[in-house]
Amino acid sequence: MTVLALAAVPEPPPRREHASRSEYESWVRSTFPGARGTVSSRLFFYKRFVERWPDLEEWFAAPLLVRLDLGADAAAGPGMRRGTSHEAGSYLAYLALTHDMPMDADWVLARNFDSLFHPRVAPALGVDLDLLNTLDQRQQQLGYRSGRSALTWGVARLVLWKGDPDITAITHQDLVSFSEEIRRWSLLPEAAVIRAAHIHSTRRVHEPPVLVSQFEKASLSRLHSLHVLMFNTGQISEPPFHGLKTRELWREELTPADTPPAVAAPVNRWLAGRLQSTDRAESVRNARDAFRYFLRWLGQSHPEMANLAELTRSHVESCLSHLHQRINQRAAILPREQSVGMDRRPSPASPRPLGPAETCHAVAPLHPQGRAGSVHAVHRRTGRPASTGCPAPLALEWSPPRRDRPAGP
């Protein structure tokens, strides 16, 4: 008998089937006693969905936009939409949480689930509302002011994606895997259409691709907040780091990947030496970030440089001039006549360049490396370090003489 014959054959996943009408009707009537309108509408949506998709596997295999009742022109339509699949969302949530039927991340991230935590619906689906309220209170104690919606957003999608209503069963691996699903979903060609369909055209101020980027950032932020919360309650033992990445990752990427080896080697050696010293990790990381910015600029402005022995002080001064002229949109302010009576908020219409203090602060972590002599060839040739405490002559504006001192001739 061969080894292949002894190998266990994996069982195929169980076939996904509809719930019977009697089962679903019994659940709806017990969940909404006396609410005739709610009962009739939910049963109507169930009947219409089952008639349209008698084989549930075909619905899961259908294109995402079809499963969401979205056409190619959905970006120009209103935010609220109707359709066989869309209005059967409550029935599909019932299947996911009562029949152990995990939903795919594409569908979960493309919909809203506002009714999942209704006081009548949640207990009937097995969701612990008391635990959710406890998490919400703890969230407020930690200083999160985004409200309950950020908490319910993550919990609703995770339990549906797992097909398990138990909030305490959410693990660190679930958060990491779902964050990867969010990034993958944001790259789908249908994502722009879906996000535009969530916002009414009269309130839409950004193009669909921008809406997708905003959704990805907001979703990862909500997932990170949930990680922080569950770490503080003891449910997850792994410490939370922004982006669900360990902070050790930056130690493995000290310089950009496209940096020439001869240029990256002394920088990697110097930063690795600081990591083994008594320097604080935050200080080493600041130096690493400054070096990565400088090396990226060096690769774009001087791609011919293959070794740090070719680095001169003029290169550093050119980088500082680039930083000084770089437009800082966050530091932009409104003109004085436009800011009277209102908050001085950033405005892209009136940006200003980085000031001298900001420019020096951006490259300050480079100074110890220049003094340490990792570029001795520069020192021997020029007699001056490439980077010092005052590395560049910044442009100074003329200031009038002080009144207590006579003006010069």
Side-chain angles (χ1 to χ4, degrees), residues 157-179:
R157 281 151 183 82
L158 283 168
V159 296
L160 290 172
W161 178 61
K162 296 181 60 181
D164 184 359
D166 187 5
I167 301 176
T168 61
I170 297 176
T171 64
H172 175 258
Q173 185 58 43
D174 294 332
L175 296 177
V176 173
S177 300
F178 197 68
S179 68

Side-chain angles (χ1 to χ4, degrees), residues 43-60:
L43 292 179
F44 171 76
F45 295 149
Y46 162 82
K47 178 177 179 294
R48 189 175 60 171
F49 180 77
V50 172
E51 291 176 350
R52 172 64 181 84
W53 301 97
D55 187 351
L56 197 56
E57 293 291 346
E58 294 183 359
W59 180 82
F60 276 97

Side-chain angles (χ1 to χ4, degrees), residues 2-38:
T2 63
V3 177
L4 293 177
L6 295 176
V9 178
E11 297 182 0
R15 185 174 179 80
R16 290 167 286 201
E17 302 286 350
H18 283 290
S20 64
R21 178 179 176 84
S22 59
E23 173 195 340
Y24 185 62
E25 182 177 359
S26 175
W27 180 85
V28 172
R29 293 188 181 279
S30 62
T31 304
F32 303 99
R36 297 179 57 185
T38 302

Side-chain angles (χ1 to χ4, degrees), residues 67 75 77 79 99 119 125-126 138 147 153 188 210 226 259-260 262 278 287 291 293 298 320 366 398-399:
R67 298 166 62 197
H99 285 236
L125 293 176
R138 181 56 179 156
W153 186 96
L188 294 177
V210 179
L226 183 61
T259 306
T278 58
F291 268 111
Y293 188 94
L298 197 64
L320 289 177
L366 302 180
W398 178 85
S399 57

